[in-house]
Amino acid sequence: MEKILEKKRIDDWIKALSDWEVHAPALQDGIWTYQPVSGAIRLDHPNTNQSPKGFAFPQREIFFSFEQIKGEPPKLKQVLPKTPQHAVFGVRPCDGRGVPRMDKVFNDHVEDPYYNARRKNVAYVGLACNKPPSPNCFCLSVGGSPVSTDGLDVQLTDMGDRYFVKAITEAGKALMKAADGMFSDPSAAEQKQLKQVHAEAVAHPQRKVNDPDGAPAKLKANFNSPLWEEMARACIGCGICTFLCPTCHCFDINDEVQNKAPLKGQRVRTWDNCQFPDFTMHSSGHNPRENTGARLRQRVNHKFQYFHENFGMHQCTGCGRCITGCPVGIDIVTVVNKVTEHAG
Amino acid sequence: MINLQDIRDTARDMLAKGEVRTVIGYRRGTRGMLAEPAFITDPAQADDLVWNPTCFHNLSLYLVEDRKFLAHLRQNPGAPIGIVAKGCDARSIVVLMQEHYFKREDVYIIGVSCEGTGVVDERKLAPHLNGFQASDAVFDGDDFVFTTAQGEKRLPAREVMADRCLECRIPFPKEHNLVFGEDKTGRQLAEPFAALKRFEAQEGGDRWNFWSHHFDRCIRCFACRSVCPMCYCDECVVDSITFPVTSETSAEEKANRIRWIERSATRSENITYLMTRAMHLAGRCTDCGECERACPVNVPIRLLNNKMEREAREKFGFEPGASIGGPSLVASFLDNDPGDFIR
Amino acid sequence: MPDNIYLPQLARVAYIKDEVYGERAIKTFRVEPVDGKLFDHECGQCAMLSIFGRGESMISIASSPLIREYKQFSIMKVGRVSSAFHELEVGDVIGIRGPYGNSFPVDDWRGKNLYFIGGGCGLAPIWPVITTAVAQRDYFKNITVFYGGRTSRDIMYRTELEKLRDSVDVHLSIDKAEEGWEGYCGFVPAAVMDKDPNPGNAIAITCGPPIMIKFVIQNLNKLGFKDEQIYTTIENKMKCGIGKCGRCNVGKDYVCVKGPVYSWAELKHLPEEY
């Protein structure tokens, strides 16, 4: 389904989506974040500070609650998320491509009921990038594109005073049907303009991972390279790179106790991070990834080798958040290029 | 004006003569104009060093890392480590020495004066560049000059400088082995604690709303703690990700370790984390502002630290990092210390 | 597998035995389902055990799959969850979910000589294989168990090992000589060399401290065992058990899914991140 929507009518479209909870990027506290829409939206954001992964994989998820009176068996109460239907507007193509990657992780081998319960109620309304929204964008070199529709339910393309609106999935069609009368059919000239806008978008220069196809084998060959420690020399071991990433999925599970006797608490999943020192530390104190070099290697290899070996695609979608966010200049593009250009 | 070549020449000579084993400084990064920490050991690499308005980092953090690494290897430091330090950075080094983290002779401080300016705040700069990214930034007197695809952009430094630099009272590394640039102590670009004052002008309820809002936003990536040279504890009481366990740590110790905060980034846990950190920095924080710069979600962490800093200054006349031999705030008692704060 | 993989089933502790006392205390627990039945498992698989309010821990199942009534676990007191296990009493209720991981290809080993080489608490993960092989004694040729502890007080499953002697060669060892000790004195890898096992038509299964495994494998290679004939298990920190939480990977594989059992032929090609 392909339609034209006048830009000034986007708020009317959103108003018509009464069956959905609509979120869109808003500038607050100096950063762009997804916020529930109340009133007018603007889709002129660069990219959001955090990826939209939290809609299906929130930073904190309660698995179940438990209660136990001493001497009696514990009582467990399963808490599966019951979320309303979400429509997330303004999702950039890189973040769209993050969605199928997260779907794979949470459904490969065993299905994750919490992720899926949320995921089935989220529709992603993407916005093509007419020009790279960040100086650290590199989607083209990791198999993506500023006009990719992968993972999106609807794709919007900014054509001046109009959006070219394309439904990608059934969920996307439903969003458009909810406001049927607002859209018009694209003319031949508008179809032509779309092609031109997309062609220009793809032609914009971006940063580049030089050898994405060779990366898995080369990273594997350079596993023991001294480059890792050298490149991680400045790493402070914080969680910015992975918390902002659209495809980082690592998590921790902990019991949070609200009351000791009688015991009352919740088992909770929270985002975790391969850059934290205790991430892989055994109870004995032995740590298979003891230093920042080994941890940087894990992050990069996971994105560009392990995931590729498991699923046939790079996990990194080239959004550049980890580069922009790093307080000490660790740059995944530079890292991958250095390692792949290093004679193993 | 500082001549960059002088810094490079100094680093090269000292490395070549073996007077320092490493020079920790700044080099050009690969993300636009930004500098990044550099660890120079080869005299031939000394020309990588840069000095420009994006040299934000408080590199004394890496002196702490170096010390931990040496302890891990059970090695003595040998030759001192050279470090490029701004005024605030040098004061951090002094605090670390006051706390006996390392000795004066272990460090060779290559001081750099911020003179009339300081470092740029990228968030303030962005609106001036019309969406373009600067590929270079240089000091030029009271201006910063940026290079973008549109050409050169000259801006008065004070328009795009970090608050911490505007409010800085001593933009000069008093403690140094060698120093470049003029001492412009006494310059006043903004009133000290100006940002804090603006915040405090609000009503109590508004202040609580302000902080509740920000405490809710913290994602607990621990960047503020990780980037802070003063947060050197092997085990941070309020951060669950550091817990040094060795083969000697008993099961009891591990089992009984108190978790002051949960892993969840919820308001109560974030308050405990951020407030405890601020308390632990009282009299130690030299307002390098790195915690606030590193924060990926713009929590105004500096306000918390500034508050403690101002209390120390107004109540006790205390200036963190003023002198190596001087007393530390919380480990010293003077007869004339005020008592009103515990009433 | 149940719909919600993260929701544990309740199980009651039916039996507790102190195996080893002191700093590296080990206790054995048998747990039975509170309702219904527990999952079936294979030799070498693990289960995620919970003590509510304390957390979860991945523990290898030490009982044979042939035993359906209960699952057995031998747990060394090392950290937060395992210490809580050591405070349990018979009748207490815990959580259990699983089974996780791959298993020893025991059926492929029929008609072969089996050598089990364990050290410390490393006897527990291979115990289901030993007991299954003994229960199906006719399927296998010679079965030999080498097992060592630091001292005689560190030897677990003492009574059970003595019972095995009817149908299996059992060689016990301790690191340093002690009065009254009749077995071998010295490290486990040396104890193996001492008996000079024959690699012909044989499989060697080893589990124990990493340093022991390393030298056992070196010695087995010296004796002529091929890498394909040597099996071991590895461990890593785990949270989910289903390859999602992202921490137990060695290279592209999550140990909780593709491990913990590896032949040395496979394992030696993996990065040493365990």
Side-chain angles (χ1 to χ4, degrees):
Chain A
M1 193 195 285
E2 296 185 344
K3 296 281 182 188
I4 294 291
L5 180 73
E6 282 178 67
K7 250 190 192 171
K8 60 186 181 204
R9 300 207 67 184
I10 190 145
D11 293 319
D12 296 333
W13 180 21
I14 287 171
K15 256 182 227 137
L17 299 176
S18 51
D19 292 342
W20 284 265
E21 192 180 302
V22 182
H23 290 247
L27 185 60
Q28 198 185 56
D29 303 300
I31 54 171
W32 288 90
T33 49
Y34 288 98
Q35 301 279 345
V37 173
S38 56
I41 67 161
R42 42 192 279 206
L43 291 178
D44 58 350
H45 58 292
N47 198 356
T48 49
N49 178 262
Q50 287 190 54
S51 83
K53 72 177 170 188
F55 285 102
F57 176 51
Q59 185 164 8
R60 178 175 195 261
E61 181 86 81
I62 300 168
F63 277 175
F64 56 85
S65 59
F66 49 81
E67 272 184 55
Q68 188 173 21
I69 297 167
K70 202 158 171 57
E72 289 180 23
K75 290 194 183 90
L76 309 187
K77 201 171 136 212
Q78 176 178 231
V79 189
L80 273 179
K82 287 195 188 71
T83 54
Q85 288 198 89
H86 281 75
V88 185
F89 273 68
V91 174
R92 294 291 182 178
C94 48
D95 291 342
R97 294 182 76 232
V99 174
R101 284 159 176 75
M102 293 299 256
D103 289 349
K104 278 195 195 304
V105 168
F106 285 105
N107 287 285
D108 180 51
H109 174 62
V110 177
E111 289 175 17
D112 187 298
Y114 298 90
Y115 177 86
N116 288 341
R118 290 183 188 276
R119 172 72 183 91
K120 71 172 166 42
N121 284 331
V122 191
Y124 299 96
V125 180
L127 176 66
C129 301
N130 292 7
K131 65 171 196 176
S134 153
N136 293 315
C137 288
F138 59 100
C139 65
L140 280 166
S141 66
V142 290
S145 147
V147 300
S148 162
T149 57
D150 198 9
L152 300 174
D153 296 285
V154 177
Q155 183 199 46
L156 304 180
T157 304
D158 188 329
M159 301 211 302
D161 57 351
R162 284 149 297 150
Y163 288 113
F164 195 103
V165 189
K166 194 191 260 180
I168 313 297
T169 63
E170 287 306 314
K173 276 183 198 159
L175 285 170
M176 291 173 69
K177 277 181 188 148
D180 234 356
M182 290 177 204
F183 299 95
S184 60
D185 288 326
S187 65
E190 283 165 332
Q191 290 281 13
K192 200 177 154 199
Q193 192 189 347
L194 178 79
K195 278 206 182 106
Q196 198 182 336
V197 169
H198 281 190
E200 280 169 17
V202 173
H204 265 287
Q206 292 186 356
R207 298 197 59 195
K208 197 165 174 256
V209 169
N210 294 333
D211 184 11
D213 298 336
K218 286 177 177 170
L219 288 167
K220 193 171 186 173
N222 279 303
F223 187 86
N224 290 314
S225 166
L227 273 175
W228 292 112
E229 211 153 320
E230 194 186 307
M231 291 185 299
R233 185 73 169 81
C235 177
I236 58 171
C238 76
I240 293 177
C241 46
T242 76
F243 281 6
L244 301 192
C245 174
T247 61
C248 274
H249 58 80
C250 293
F251 59 81
D252 196 1
I253 303 174
N254 281 296
D255 284 5
E256 294 185 356
V257 174
Q258 276 91 44
N259 198 48
K260 290 229 162 176
L263 179 68
K264 220 175 169 174
Q266 293 162 327
R267 182 157 295 166
V268 177
R269 158 158 83 194
T270 48
W271 289 352
D272 205 351
N273 185 326
C274 60
Q275 305 302 297
F276 286 162
D278 77 333
F279 185 67
T280 51
M281 193 172 70
H282 295 192
S283 297
S284 63
H286 168 65
N287 195 343
R289 294 186 210 126
E290 211 178 5
N291 53 45
T292 51
R295 292 176 209 140
L296 172 66
R297 178 179 61 200
Q298 165 64 20
R299 178 166 74 90
V300 173
N301 282 9
H302 192 183
K303 300 283 175 221
F304 286 93
Q305 181 199 334
Y306 309 149
F307 199 85
H308 198 278
E309 288 170 342
N310 285 327
F311 300 111
M313 59 175 87
H314 288 309
Q315 192 185 22
C316 174
T317 64
C319 73
R321 283 187 182 87
C322 57
I323 306 172
T324 309
C326 181
V328 292
I330 293 173
D331 178 337
I332 197 166
V333 173
T334 308
V335 170
V336 174
N337 287 344
K338 257 196 194 167
V339 179
T340 52
E341 279 149 28
H342 178 75
Chain B
M1 274 296 266
I2 292 174
N3 180 7
L4 170 61
Q5 204 52 47
D6 294 344
I7 303 178
R8 291 174 173 172
D9 291 345
T10 302
R12 187 185 310 103
D13 287 354
M14 295 196 72
L15 284 166
K17 288 182 191 146
E19 290 168 353
V20 290
R21 60 193 152 96
T22 304
V23 172
I24 307 177
Y26 304 94
R27 70 176 175 201
R28 183 63 188 273
T30 54
R31 313 168 302 159
M33 64 174 175
L34 301 184
E36 64 182 26
F39 306 86
I40 312 279
T41 47
D42 178 355
Q45 290 171 339
D47 280 345
D48 287 354
L49 291 170
V50 300
W51 172 241
N52 67 43
T54 71
C55 296
F56 320 111
H57 321 80
N58 183 342
L59 301 173
S60 65
L61 165 72
Y62 297 108
L63 294 176
V64 172
E65 294 301 318
D66 178 67
R67 190 38 64 129
K68 285 184 181 174
F69 189 60
L70 290 174
H72 176 73
L73 298 178
R74 294 173 206 272
Q75 263 181 20
N76 288 321
I81 201 160
I83 182 166
V84 177
K86 306 185 287 291
C88 48
D89 308 340
R91 288 192 290 280
S92 296
I93 297 171
V94 169
V95 176
L96 289 166
M97 289 189 287
Q98 276 179 328
E99 295 178 1
H100 306 287
Y101 211 88
F102 42 78
K103 295 197 184 75
R104 183 65 187 84
E105 60 267 29
D106 294 336
V107 187
Y108 188 95
I109 302 174
I110 304 168
V112 280
S113 171
C114 293
E115 301 188 317
T117 62
V119 299
V120 67
D121 181 336
E122 284 186 273
R123 287 150 188 154
K124 289 187 188 174
L125 174 66
H128 292 276
L129 298 184
N130 306 325
F132 283 84
Q133 184 68 11
S135 57
D136 201 15
V138 292
F139 293 111
D140 190 6
D142 290 337
D143 294 342
F144 291 157
V145 182
F146 302 94
T147 310
T148 73
Q150 282 182 311
E152 218 176 70
K153 179 92 183 171
R154 176 179 291 272
L155 290 167
R158 62 169 70 196
E159 282 184 24
V160 289
M161 254 163 78
D163 281 353
R164 52 165 152 155
C165 301
L166 289 170
E167 295 175 16
C168 175
R169 298 177 300 275
I170 316 166
F172 184 79
K174 293 243 185 302
E175 186 66 38
H176 59 255
N177 296 79
L178 185 70
V179 69
F180 297 101
E182 263 180 83
D183 182 355
K184 295 218 174 152
T185 302
R187 75 171 201 197
Q188 184 118 357
L189 300 178
E191 197 187 347
F193 307 108
L196 179 61
K197 235 172 240 173
R198 282 197 297 276
F199 164 73
E200 286 187 331
Q202 301 175 72
E203 295 291 322
D206 292 341
R207 294 210 297 267
W208 172 245
N209 291 340
F210 173 90
W211 279 117
S212 304
H213 169 73
H214 287 299
F215 287 140
D216 285 347
R217 295 173 54 250
C218 169
I219 57 172
R220 283 249 301 290
C221 63
F222 296 116
C224 48
R225 186 196 64 79
S226 305
V227 82
C228 178
M230 296 308 143
C231 279
Y232 56 63
C233 299
D234 284 333
E235 179 183 348
C236 173
V237 285
V238 283
D239 134 7
S240 47
I241 65 162
T242 52
F243 181 32
V245 176
T246 68
S247 50
E248 282 97 55
T249 314
S250 72
E252 277 76 14
E253 270 176 86
K254 287 179 263 186
N256 297 334
R257 188 196 182 210
I258 298 170
R259 289 188 179 172
W260 293 105
I261 58 168
E262 301 290 358
R263 207 80 188 243
S264 294
T266 51
R267 185 187 294 182
S268 61
E269 312 308 288
N270 295 347
I271 289 178
T272 313
Y273 166 65
L274 287 164
M275 298 293 273
T276 308
R277 185 171 169 272
M279 298 301 278
H280 285 190
L281 289 174
R284 309 173 64 233
C285 169
T286 63
D287 197 20
C288 72
E290 275 293 275
C291 47
E292 188 166 294
R293 180 190 68 90
C295 180
V297 294
N298 291 1
V299 174
I301 309 165
R302 201 177 144 250
L303 288 179
L304 296 175
N305 300 332
N306 271 184
K307 172 80 177 169
M308 303 311 295
E309 188 188 346
R310 195 182 59 187
E311 290 293 295
R313 184 178 161 83
E314 290 180 353
K315 295 264 195 306
F316 301 92
F318 189 82
E319 196 83 59
S323 77
I324 300 171
S328 77
L329 177 70
V330 289
S332 57
F333 176 76
L334 301 177
D335 284 346
N336 56 352
D337 279 351
D340 57 340
F341 70 100
I342 46 170
R343 263 185 218 136
Chain C
M1 289 232 177
D3 292 346
N4 187 345
I5 190 63
Y6 299 110
L7 193 69
Q9 190 182 351
L10 297 181
R12 185 168 278 114
V13 177
Y15 164 94
I16 301 175
K17 186 179 169 231
D18 287 288
E19 299 284 354
V20 173
Y21 295 90
E23 262 184 50
R24 295 180 301 276
I26 302 174
K27 285 189 182 187
T28 292
F29 302 85
R30 273 181 202 165
V31 303
E32 298 168 351
V34 168
D35 293 308
K37 65 186 276 287
L38 292 176
F39 52 81
D40 289 333
H41 75 278
E42 289 166 32
C43 292
Q45 285 193 299
C46 302
M48 195 59 109
L49 304 185
S50 326
I51 292 191
F52 299 102
R54 273 272 154 177
E56 287 188 305
S57 202
M58 189 69 99
I59 309 283
S60 52
I61 306 170
S63 51
S64 166
L66 302 172
I67 299 168
R68 304 283 167 109
E69 302 78 52
Y70 62 84
K71 306 255 179 243
Q72 184 164 306
F73 302 90
S74 292
I75 301 174
M76 185 187 271
K77 186 174 171 180
V78 280
R80 199 175 155 82
V81 178
S82 55
S83 294
F85 263 91
H86 278 238
E87 283 159 29
L88 289 180
E89 291 169 13
V90 169
D92 284 346
V93 174
I94 62 155
I96 180 168
R97 57 187 179 95
Y100 298 120
N102 68 347
S103 55
F104 290 99
V106 186
D107 291 343
D108 298 348
W109 298 341
R110 289 183 182 187
K112 290 184 189 289
N113 299 309
L114 301 183
Y115 293 101
F116 295 95
I117 304 153
C121 61
L123 188 58
I126 57 176
W127 193 249
V129 198
I130 297 173
T131 51
T132 304
V134 169
Q136 304 172 336
R137 190 65 192 84
D138 296 346
Y139 290 151
F140 304 94
K141 294 215 160 130
N142 294 332
I143 302 179
T144 312
V145 175
F146 293 92
Y147 174 57
R150 292 190 198 191
T151 71
S152 59
R153 289 178 306 280
D154 292 304
I155 300 283
M156 60 190 288
Y157 297 167
R158 194 69 189 262
T159 342
E160 292 88 338
L161 283 163
E162 290 308 323
K163 270 191 216 153
L164 281 189
R165 288 189 192 274
D166 300 340
S167 53
V168 169
D169 288 330
V170 178
H171 305 290
L172 300 185
S173 63
I174 55 174
D175 291 357
K176 271 187 238 147
E178 278 175 40
E179 214 170 298
W181 179 257
E182 286 171 3
Y184 186 84
C185 296
F187 296 123
V188 173
V192 174
M193 285 306 254
D194 186 57
K195 293 287 177 299
D196 196 19
N198 186 341
N201 190 32
I203 293 288
I205 302 113
T206 180
C207 186
I211 189 77
M212 182 209 93
I213 294 181
K214 187 179 157 192
F215 286 108
V216 164
I217 291 173
Q218 278 183 14
N219 285 357
L220 288 170
N221 281 155
K222 272 185 217 156
L223 291 164
F225 280 81
K226 296 205 173 69
D227 295 338
E228 298 75 30
Q229 288 175 283
I230 305 169
Y231 281 79
T232 187
T233 74
I234 61 173
E235 58 175 5
N236 255 351
K237 186 172 172 181
M238 294 173 187
K239 284 286 178 175
C240 71
I242 49 176
K244 306 200 190 304
C245 81
R247 74 195 64 222
C248 70
N249 69 300
V250 173
K252 73 177 171 60
D253 290 340
Y254 290 107
V255 175
C256 67
V257 177
K258 295 287 169 69
V261 177
Y262 290 88
S263 75
W264 181 238
E266 299 167 276
L267 190 60
K268 73 174 191 180
H269 294 296
L270 297 181
E272 242 185 285
E273 284 200 324
Y274 49 86

